Amino acid sequence: MNPLIELTDVAKTFGQGADAVHAFGPVDLTIDDGDFISFLGPSGCGKSTLMLMVAGLLERTSGQIVLGGQPVDGPRTDIGIMFQDNTLVPWRTVRGNIELQLEMRGIDPTSAADRITVLLQSVHLQDFADRFPYELSGGMQQRAAFCQAMVHDPQIMLLDEPLGKLDAMTREQIRTDLQTLWMQQKPTVIFVTHSIEEAVQLSSRVAIITPRPGRVEKIIPIDLPFPRDFEVKNSPEFASYVRDIQEIFRGYGVI
Amino acid sequence: MYVTFRRYSAAMASSKKTSFGVRVLTWIERSWMFIVFFIGFFLVWEWSVTLFDIPRYILTPPSLVVEKGWADLDRLLYYTYITGSETVIGYVAAVVIGLPLGLAIAFSSILRRTVYPFFVCIEMVPKIAFAPLFISWLGFGLLPKVIIVFLVCFFPIVLNAILAFNSLSEELTRFCRSTGAGPVLSFIKVRLPAAMPQCFVGFKYGAINATVGAAIAEFIGSDQGLGFYIQIVTGNMRPDLAFAGIFFLTLLGLALFGIVTLAERMLIPWHISVRRNKT
Ligand SMILES: Nc1ncnc2c1ncn2[C@@H]1O[C@H](COP(=O)(O)OP(=O)(O)O)[C@@H](O)[C@H]1O
Ligand SMILES: [Mg+2]
């Protein structure tokens, strides 16, 4: 495995002087090609901050980030990002929103029509391509946002709590879809979440992030077979991973 | 009968192509209470003038307003045209100057630190208080009225435009940057459409102000227009004609507001405020 993303001594402080908020770091972290790594931690610990710094959308206060062999200075366009609040625009249909990603990149969306159709099918939205976001449920909106983030076929995906606001059943469905997709295409995924189960189910490794200022204290490889279906989820090994991580957060006084 | 009608209109309303007649029926069905109240208001007015024996030079019944207004229709229509011109020219000027200026202020940190606070201060001044000054500077003609209409429309338009172009969500800003799109492309594809709803708040507010500005400007100094007309006939103890003038002034305001609302529906049919009114 070769390292695809390398963080060295990365830290972030918002503001200056007395009002300064030390949000994150310093952190060292290496993410391999094809990894599915979760950033797991309580809200406010700096998960989004870290993800945005990796994407080059937020200036870091110190440290170095190298992504795909090149240092991150400014926004990176060779990745797919799903932001914490979805970026579907209300004046475009689902398909139009997906095309927006391409149009912004100067790509003619008609050339990608088939790809969009396939992408919509893969998240079961093919019948809603011509609907507007307000006509969709929360879960469908997240699926549409996923397509929007992935239509330019990035090899690195950053997903910021993509399932955060969904009900338990919808979450379960989308997790399965996401896992299938990852197993088929093997992109490198950074998955931000505050759900221990979700992190254990989806990840090849879980980065445990401490309460603010966030630090990566431990990285736990999840040594369970994929796909992590119903069987695996009910196995004692799965339960013991969940329990161990709960123990860690209990130690931080978070739960 | 009511139930059948309701079902019929609901079925027709849900099919895509609703004829004009059906739409009127649906509207009547939904608004009949208001219509009854509206008619009732005028009936009470009509009767109470007779019942309480109110002198005609104080208040006239609506029937007389219609009758006398009809007799003076030529003058009323001509004055509507005059006041309408002042209103429309002033309003359009406010939009044409206010929108790009709002955009410039939103994106220029120098303008935001100089012109913007200045505008916020001026917004506190009742613009109509400048009316006598403009009339004394520029005389009785069209120009001072247009300027006053412009002033009362301009500030809501420009301030809402600044707000509109400044309030793109952080996520969408980041989305734009993450695609590598340049400022022009981001503006056309995301910033501009996202700003439209808030811009229309200003456009509508301006449209409401416009006729008020025109009428008051005419009260202060003019020799034609509906404001002039209302003032003269009131002086002549003719409330019937005053009401006729008010009626046409109202029509003018409604027409302007209607056109702006129509433009809003066509330009941002996706926005919640438009959608909510449709259902
Ligand atoms: N723009 C900002 N200015 C000041 N503080 C911020 C800003 N953005 C985030 N923070 C702070 O940084 C910390 C981490 O935020 P965030 O990365 O959003 O956490 P998470 O995604 O883990 O919930 C929080 O305490 C938050 O208050
Ligand atoms: Mg977050």
Side-chain angles (χ1 to χ4, degrees), chain A residues 52 56-58 75-77 81 83-85 87 89-92 100-101 103-105 132 134 148, chain B residues 168 171-182 185-186 189-191 193-195 269-270 275:
Chain A
L52 291 170
L57 293 169
L58 197 63
R76 292 294 288 253
T77 57
I81 309 167
F83 294 93
Q84 190 160 0
D85 293 321
T87 51
V89 295
W91 58 89
R92 283 178 174 238
L100 180 63
Q101 175 79 256
E103 290 170 31
M104 297 288 281
R105 291 163 180 273
F132 285 88
Y134 68 85
Q148 186 194 49
Chain B
L168 187 68
E171 302 288 48
L172 275 178
T173 311
R174 286 184 179 137
F175 169 75
C176 290
R177 293 174 62 210
S178 77
T179 61
L185 197 58
S186 301
K189 300 267 181 203
V190 178
R191 282 183 181 274
W270 47 269
R275 277 190 275 127

Side-chain angles (χ1 to χ4, degrees), chain A residues 47-49 84 160-161 192:
Chain A
K47 305 182 294 292
S48 300
T49 304
Q84 190 160 0
D160 194 351
E161 297 192 29
V192 172

Side-chain angles (χ1 to χ4, degrees), chain B residues 240-259:
Chain B
D240 50 344
L241 293 180
F243 275 115
I246 291 168
F247 175 74
F248 277 92
L249 200 55
T250 309
L251 279 192
L252 202 58
L254 278 178
L256 185 61
F257 191 75
I259 290 169

Side-chain angles (χ1 to χ4, degrees), chain A residues 14 23 42-49 212:
Chain A
F14 288 105
S43 79
C45 73
K47 305 182 294 292
S48 300
T49 304
R212 193 165 57 84

